[in-house]
Amino acid sequence: MRLLAALLGAILILVTASPADAAPSGRTVRLARTVGVDIAVPATANLGAGFVGGSLTAQLGAVEVRDSRGSVNPNTWVATVSATAFVAGAGGPQRTIANGRVSYWSGQAVRSTGGGTLVPGQSTSAQAVSLGTAREAFRKTAGNGNNAVVWVPTIRIAIPADIVAGTYRGAIIHSVA
């Protein structure tokens, strides 16, 4: 399988002891492009804050795969997603949220153009998957011609009860092949 495009977003989350300590958070994006198929997400997102021992659920913003390979038949693709651990400061056991504690669901397509069959990886929160390993986010299973699909994925981070409050940084990585 060859990598057609990759997206790396550094996600910031704040883990606090009280709501008064909460501050906005966001992410930065680096986008690698390959002719014919592109994947993109917005440059920023506010993930909010969560409490030690609780969970944080937030949408990442619109993710779009655009396939302009035209008459290639079939021009199918699979978008995958993975995550790094989320770390505060220098890390360590009480300053790390393992990527297995990060759950993801793609939801349905919010917009699509062109032909083909588009299949979400996880339609609802009940189908959320752990990002302890790479997972399928969305797929085009049939058709040819130029096409595009947009979805707005949601992540849930289960915050351990034994970590130190602080700002945690990690990455949610999307790619398409």
Side-chain angles (χ1 to χ4, degrees):
M1 178 187 306
R2 64 175 223 205
L3 182 64
L4 297 176
L7 173 74
L8 174 64
I11 308 298
L12 291 169
I13 61 171
L14 290 174
V15 178
T16 61
S18 70
D21 297 332
S25 57
R27 62 192 162 109
T28 59
V29 176
R30 242 183 9 215
L31 179 63
R33 296 179 185 251
T34 299
V35 176
V37 179
D38 295 305
I39 189 166
V41 301
T44 62
N46 185 343
L47 297 180
F51 295 102
V52 171
S55 66
L56 172 66
T57 302
Q59 291 187 320
L60 294 177
V63 175
E64 180 177 18
V65 172
R66 184 169 297 279
D67 185 347
S68 58
R69 293 178 291 169
S71 62
V72 173
N73 190 9
N75 62 356
T76 59
W77 49 260
V78 176
T80 58
V81 61
S82 60
T84 66
F86 286 74
V87 179
Q94 290 186 309
R95 295 183 182 274
T96 301
I97 301 172
N99 61 351
R101 298 182 71 87
V102 179
S103 299
Y104 177 100
W105 64 96
S106 58
Q108 296 288 331
V110 295
R111 185 175 73 244
S112 64
T113 60
T117 304
L118 299 167
V119 181
Q122 310 79 29
S123 297
T124 67
S125 61
Q127 297 168 326
V129 292
S130 165
L131 293 182
T133 184
R135 303 294 185 153
E136 184 175 303
F138 232 91
R139 168 184 297 265
K140 181 179 179 216
T141 61
N144 62 355
N146 295 336
N147 59 84
V149 64
V150 177
W151 68 95
V152 181
T154 304
I155 63 167
R156 180 175 35 238
I157 300 172
I159 303 168
D162 62 347
I163 65 168
V164 175
T167 300
Y168 286 74
R169 297 176 189 265
I172 303 295
I173 301 122
H174 286 88
S175 62
V176 64

